Amino acid sequence: MICLGIESTCDETSISVVNDRFEILSNVIYSQVDLHSPFGGVFPELAAREHLEKIGPCFLEALKKANISFDQINLISVAYGPGLIGSIQVGLTFAKSLSLLLNVPFVAVNHVHAHLIAPILNHKDAFEQLPAIGIVLSGGHTQINLMHSLMDIETVGSTIDDAMGECFDKCAKICGLPYPGGPHVEKTAMKGDSSKVHLKSCKVKDRPFSFSFSGLKTQVLYASKNQNKGYEDLLASFQHVVFQDVLEKAQKAVDFYDAKAIFIGGGVASSKTLRSYFEDFCRPVYFPSKELALDNAAMIAALGILQFNQLGPSPIEIEPKSRIPFTTNQVV
Ligand code: KG4
Ligand code: ZN
């Protein structure tokens, strides 16, 4: 079976071809970063228009790179949320039209769920390591989940305010770094000493696996006013506090649920520094490659195959959703 994956939930237009052995035949990603960077964040109206312009060429390039023709596509998988409604609408409409035109089934999948299962594309042994703790750290989501299986997921903790990537982006902005801030924070922090500035992570009362970042962001804002020699030490301390927080919560969750492994996905999971925090972890830790940690359609195709095999096609009437809790995902 050959599955075409389509991703357009935020600021990447991506189309990928993946087979049912979870081998990636192509994964084309058109990033809109340069378009949105001057605004310091994603400008929704511009994002939707750019998706419209790029989705056709992206599709043709994905087929060409995979060396397949239209009639070899057996399944179409698209992210129907969570994300920006106008942007999702572009990918969803494209997917529905293609499904009707080619007369192949169509599945609508949850983008956050796709981030969680992305590591299976790099690590085939991960299939055997369930139940696992699944952690999503992206620009819009920060969650700790219990993955009973790749399709049966229960959220056990999440952020009560900002997402982790969003917090990196805001702290980068405070320090005059461009959007998206994560990679710039990582680069700047490498030159700093995390013990020079004292920052504290925030705990959420009675929710051991949840996160809160707004207090930390405020600490960074105040501390930034005293940094007259650059922001290296401040950002090193910020990054350390955030990653130590994830590491401790991941450890607690693995112990509490007796999980066999950890799956980590989402844009922040592309950080080399975060990976180093998990180097000596007591269980296998599955990170996707950098390209598959950021928004991409290969993870959408992979989840499409899993979901189609278990639940069959999705109704063609399905609408874009800005939020999708995991319980909803299981009935799509
Ligand atoms: O998953 P993603 O590509 O898009 C969403 O679905 O949100 O994640 C983007 C987020 C941005 O907030 C970006 O700053 C963050 O991932 N990010 C990083 C790093 N690379 C990207 N955060 C920390 N360190 C990084 N190296
Ligand atoms: Zn994402």
Side-chain angles (χ1 to χ4, degrees):
M1 178 163 68
I2 286 193
C3 178
L4 187 85
I6 303 175
E7 158 62 35
S8 71
T9 58
C10 190
D11 59 347
E12 262 91 32
T13 318
S14 177
I15 299 201
S16 169
V17 179
V18 173
N19 67 23
D20 55 3
R21 290 192 300 276
F22 297 98
E23 290 159 344
I24 302 173
L25 308 185
S26 68
N27 186 27
V28 179
I29 304 169
Y30 288 177
S31 170
Q32 302 180 3
V33 160
D34 294 343
L35 182 73
H36 300 292
S37 191
F39 302 100
V42 179
F43 198 119
E45 176 62 31
L46 273 185
R49 271 195 261 164
E50 187 72 4
H51 283 304
L52 257 184
E53 211 160 284
K54 293 288 158 60
I55 200 154
C58 190
F59 171 58
L60 295 177
E61 194 181 328
L63 291 192
K64 195 166 167 207
K65 285 209 166 130
N67 201 17
I68 62 157
S69 56
F70 294 88
D71 54 0
Q72 286 173 276
I73 301 170
N74 310 114
L75 179 67
I76 294 167
S77 174
V78 61
Y80 76 106
L84 304 168
I85 297 295
S87 290
I88 301 166
Q89 196 67 271
V90 177
L92 192 57
T93 306
F94 193 83
K96 288 178 181 179
S97 313
L98 212 53
S99 156
L100 293 171
L101 199 71
L102 301 177
N103 196 24
V104 294
F106 147 95
V107 267
V109 306
N110 176 344
H111 172 95
V112 177
H113 189 174
H115 272 305
L116 267 181
I117 60 94
I120 64 167
L121 288 161
N122 300 110
H123 310 275
K124 298 292 176 269
D125 56 323
F127 282 95
E128 312 299 323
Q129 303 285 354
L130 293 152
I133 292 301
I135 305 178
V136 184
L137 309 171
S138 77
H141 294 84
T142 301
Q143 298 175 340
I144 296 189
N145 302 286
L146 174 57
M147 300 171 74
H148 299 284
S149 72
L150 292 175
M151 285 302 294
D152 185 7
I153 292 164
E154 189 186 331
T155 302
V156 297
S158 56
T159 178
I160 59 161
D161 38 59
D162 292 344
M164 189 178 287
E166 192 181 1
C167 186
F168 268 85
D169 294 341
K170 286 180 177 170
C171 290
K173 200 169 181 177
I174 291 171
C175 299
L177 297 171
Y179 173 86
H184 299 282
V185 170
E186 185 176 20
K187 218 168 136 197
T188 310
M190 269 172 199
K191 294 176 242 155
D193 176 349
S194 64
S195 66
K196 291 266 171 69
V197 182
H198 185 69
L199 301 173
K200 263 183 73 183
S201 66
C202 304
K203 302 272 172 284
V204 184
K205 197 167 175 269
D206 300 328
R207 290 171 62 177
F209 308 123
S210 287
F211 297 89
S212 168
F213 298 114
S214 66
L216 182 60
K217 184 187 63 196
T218 310
Q219 293 174 54
V220 168
L221 178 66
Y222 286 122
S224 70
K225 307 205 191 294
N226 303 323
Q227 308 297 305
N228 38 24
K229 281 190 264 147
Y231 298 111
E232 288 84 357
D233 293 339
L234 173 61
L235 290 177
S237 173
F238 160 72
Q239 186 180 246
H240 172 71
V241 166
V242 173
F243 289 167
Q244 190 61 34
D245 191 27
V246 186
L247 180 65
E248 281 168 19
K249 282 169 184 160
Q251 180 70 63
K252 260 192 219 156
V254 161
D255 292 344
F256 188 80
Y257 293 104
D258 198 17
K260 288 191 187 157
I262 293 192
F263 288 50
I264 306 190
V268 185
S270 69
S271 163
K272 278 200 181 127
T273 313
L274 175 66
R275 287 162 197 243
S276 71
Y277 277 70
F278 280 89
E279 242 156 39
D280 300 318
F281 203 74
C282 57
R283 303 278 152 83
V285 181
Y286 298 109
F287 279 99
S289 61
K290 185 174 176 190
E291 185 177 82
L292 299 179
L294 296 162
D295 286 350
N296 70 88
M299 65 180 190
I300 304 298
L303 178 55
I305 295 166
L306 294 171
Q307 187 168 312
F308 182 73
N309 287 342
Q310 191 162 326
L311 302 169
S314 303
I316 201 91
E317 306 78 31
I318 195 160
E319 297 282 351
K321 278 223 170 86
S322 55
R323 293 169 58 87
I324 314 173
F326 276 116
T327 44
T328 313
N329 186 62
Q330 286 157 23
V331 294
V332 168

